[in-house]
Amino acid sequence: TDSMSFFAPRDVVGEYAGETFCLWNGILGSEPGHPFMVRAAERVVNMILERADMYDMERDACMKTGPSVEAWKIRSEPLLLSSGPCALGVAVNEALGRYVLSRFDIGWVSLDGLQFGDGGPRDYGDALFMVGDKHDLDAFRISDPDRSFLLASTDIRGITKEPRHVANPTRAEKRRELLRQKAPVLPHYSEAARDEFIWGMHKVYHDDLVNSEVLEFTAHYQ
C-alpha cells in the first residue's frame, strides 16, 4: 500500500509461551531512515562497542523497564538478541515507545504521530507485521493472512543451499567458484552459544577492548 513504510515477519522465538517478541530479519522492507532501522543500527553498534554479554543486555533492559523485566526472554536466545531477529524486535519496540520485550501481533500498526529522536511527532506511515511460519506446507513461508498474500518461501524440501555446478561454466562462474574455494570456512553463529559460559564472554568478539563511548544515530526528514 502507499502508506506502508516498514514490513517484517514475526519470528517464532517465544511462540511456545505466546510471547513472540522477535522480528525475523531474513527478509524485511523499510523506507530510508525509518525509525525502526535507525534504532536497530544504533543499538547493535553500541552493543558491539561495549562488547556486551548476556548480563549486559539484561542490565540494558532493566535500566529501561525496571527490575520486573522478563529475563527468560533474554536468556532464551541471547545470540539473537545482540544483532539478530530479537535485536530487531527490541529496537522496534523501543522506537514505538513500548516495553522493550513486548510481543508483536500480526497486522498493521499506524505510525502516525510517532515521536522519535529529538524531532516532533510526525507521520511515519504504517508498519506491517507478517506471519513467519516455519511449518507451512513443509516450508518456511512469509505471508499476510488478512490479504491472503504470500511474500516469500524458503527452506523448501529438496532445495539445497549449496552453489550450483554447471557442465560448461562461464568465466564469471569460474571466478566465483575460485573465490568460494579460497574463502575461509567460518563457524556458524550458533557455535557462540555452545559450551558452559556466559554468552558473549567467548567466541563472539575478537577482543575485550570496551569502548566507553555511546553513539547516537539521527535521521533528518524533509
Side-chain angles (χ1 to χ4, degrees), residues 163-181:
R164 66 187 183 93
H165 297 279
V166 296
N168 298 300
T170 64
R171 283 181 293 180
E173 289 171 328
K174 290 179 180 179
R175 286 196 297 269
R176 285 194 293 270
E177 178 61 25
L178 184 61
L179 289 174
R180 282 194 291 264
Q181 293 175 359

Side-chain angles (χ1 to χ4, degrees), residues 58 67 75 85 125 145 179 183 220-221:
E58 284 189 4
R75 299 189 178 196
L179 289 174
H220 300 282
Y221 308 96

Side-chain angles (χ1 to χ4, degrees), residues 5-205:
S5 61
F6 179 89
F7 74 84
R10 192 174 64 177
D11 206 337
V12 298
V13 178
E15 188 176 50
Y16 68 94
E19 288 291 332
T20 44
F21 66 102
C22 305
L23 296 173
W24 196 60
N25 58 341
I27 183 171
L28 55 85
S30 172
E31 286 186 345
H34 196 281
F36 294 172
M37 301 308 297
V38 172
R39 178 57 193 140
E42 179 183 71
R43 181 182 180 277
V44 168
V45 169
N46 282 299
M47 286 290 176
I48 294 173
L49 290 176
E50 191 181 355
R51 302 296 191 266
D53 58 25
M54 184 180 68
Y55 288 154
D56 291 320
M57 291 188 288
E58 284 189 4
R59 180 192 62 189
D60 180 69
C62 287
M63 290 176 63
K64 293 171 180 174
T65 65
S68 60
V69 67
E70 297 169 291
W72 70 268
K73 292 183 177 180
I74 298 173
R75 299 189 178 196
S76 63
E77 292 288 354
L79 68 168
L80 302 181
L81 196 68
S82 61
S83 62
C86 299
L88 178 60
V90 167
V92 170
N93 277 324
E94 289 178 342
L96 289 171
R98 307 197 308 177
Y99 167 58
V100 297
L101 298 173
S102 293
R103 57 165 290 167
F104 290 97
D105 294 322
I106 300 301
W108 292 93
V109 174
S110 173
L111 306 180
D112 188 8
L114 179 66
Q115 174 82 39
F116 180 74
D118 297 331
R122 67 186 302 269
D123 186 0
Y124 290 98
D126 299 307
L128 176 62
F129 302 128
M130 309 181 73
V131 171
D133 189 345
K134 294 190 175 183
H135 304 284
D136 185 350
L137 297 177
D138 207 22
F140 182 18
R141 302 185 192 279
I142 313 301
S143 63
D144 174 11
D146 289 340
R147 296 185 292 177
S148 300
F149 177 77
L150 177 64
L151 175 66
S153 295
T154 186
D155 291 342
I156 302 173
R157 182 184 294 273
I159 302 298
T160 178
K161 296 181 180 180
E162 296 297 322
R164 66 187 183 93
H165 297 279
V166 296
N168 298 300
T170 64
R171 283 181 293 180
E173 289 171 328
K174 290 179 180 179
R175 286 196 297 269
R176 285 194 293 270
E177 178 61 25
L178 184 61
L179 289 174
R180 282 194 291 264
Q181 293 175 359
K182 292 182 177 180
V185 179
L186 301 177
H188 191 265
Y189 69 84
S190 60
E191 292 295 322
R194 300 185 186 277
D195 296 329
E196 297 181 3
F197 53 81
I198 303 302
W199 185 92
M201 294 182 63
H202 306 289
K203 302 182 180 181
V204 178
Y205 308 106

